[in-house]
Amino acid sequence: MSVDPVTPERIAETEKLIRPHIRHTPLMRVDMRDFGTRPLPVDLKLELLQHSGSFKARGAFANLLTRDIPPAGVVAASGGNHGAAVAYAAMRLGVPATIFVPSVTSPAKAERIRSYGAELVIGGDRYADALAASETYVAESGALAVHAYDQVETLLGQGTLGEEIEDDLPEMTTLLVAVGGGGLIGGIASWFRGRVKIVAVESDGAPTLYEAFKAGKPVDASAGGIAADSLAPRQVGQLMFPIAQKYVEPPVLVSDDAILAAQKALWAGARVVAEPGGAAAFAALLSGKYVPGLDERVCVLVCGSNTTAVRFD
């Protein structure tokens, strides 16, 4: 029998380790009637206020604080947010970092990575291309690879967000989470273990978990759409998939138009500035693709803010 490496106990240990380096992000109570739908109280978990602009800082610090770092430092492949988080953690801990991103990475994310002092390398047109380029670099340099989602330490770090939400909102029954590679939802699901309903939300341009559920295993899926720089790997992670099969609801797919509408609604109705991937979970609620039952206490994870949608010039 295999040993489960991502347990609530290990997540709690990881939380204590990374707590000095991460923010405890706030909740915001809203009513959906403020966004033009039927009255419904909803809690927004504003993880977009985390260091480096997304939840990814949790997994980055979990990796850098628990693994041996060689002189060559660390390397990451990323659509942008993971790279920014690894660059931020490396800067704080005094570690060299090289970040590979695809050409679709937003200028806001590329600039954030550079601002943390990491070396930024454009590695192809999609995340899979950047990942392949980073693997070549690891083989040549001896740097430590920090995977965006398919790594135990990454899952443990992202799972600390589940612990934090439960501490602040013990009455929650339903949590909506956007999915790219699945590290976030895999870590969170490993914490809750079926004690709350976890609803996966994906862009219909990058239905990685949706296709995996249909096939019964991770398979290649299309990798496009408005949120391609954060929600469009080729496949979901091998580590998270069995966790999702046990503890995650079948994915809800939302369109680019729904994601854009959610971005605009979060700004107009709550003054929250989210990137497309960060707004995807809210899009499921706003568009009616997910309709909560009368007895559900819903929390929506708003998980990323690296966008130039609002400018002050």
Side-chain angles (χ1 to χ4, degrees), residues 39-176:
L40 175 72
V42 171
D43 290 286
L44 304 179
K45 175 61 171 173
L46 300 180
E47 184 65 10
L48 80 173
L49 300 179
Q50 187 57 258
H51 289 300
S52 75
S54 83
F55 69 93
K56 297 279 192 175
R58 296 171 183 268
F61 275 109
N63 273 277
L64 270 63
L65 291 169
T66 60
R67 303 172 67 194
D68 293 332
I69 310 298
V74 295
V75 61
S78 169
N81 283 339
H82 174 63
V86 172
Y88 174 81
M91 177 186 70
R92 289 299 180 200
L93 298 175
V95 173
T98 303
I99 309 299
F100 288 78
V101 299
S103 60
V104 297
T105 294
S106 75
K109 294 177 181 179
E111 178 55 34
R112 177 153 286 204
I113 291 168
R114 290 191 183 100
S115 76
Y116 296 140
E119 181 178 351
L120 182 72
V121 181
I122 306 299
D125 294 330
R126 288 290 183 265
Y127 170 76
D129 303 321
L131 179 61
S134 75
E135 289 169 344
T136 299
Y137 179 83
V138 167
E140 294 173 349
S141 68
L144 178 72
V146 181
H147 199 282
Y149 53 88
D150 204 21
Q151 193 160 308
V152 168
E153 291 83 2
T154 303
L155 286 163
L156 290 169
Q158 318 312 24
T160 66
L161 184 49
E163 180 179 2
E164 187 172 297
I165 294 172
E166 184 169 32
D167 286 346
D168 289 346
L169 198 65
E171 64 272 31
M172 177 189 68
T173 66
T174 306
L175 179 63
L176 274 64

Side-chain angles (χ1 to χ4, degrees), residues 52 90 157 181 187 224 248 253 266 271:
S52 75
V248 174
L253 299 182
L266 283 168
R271 281 301 185 259

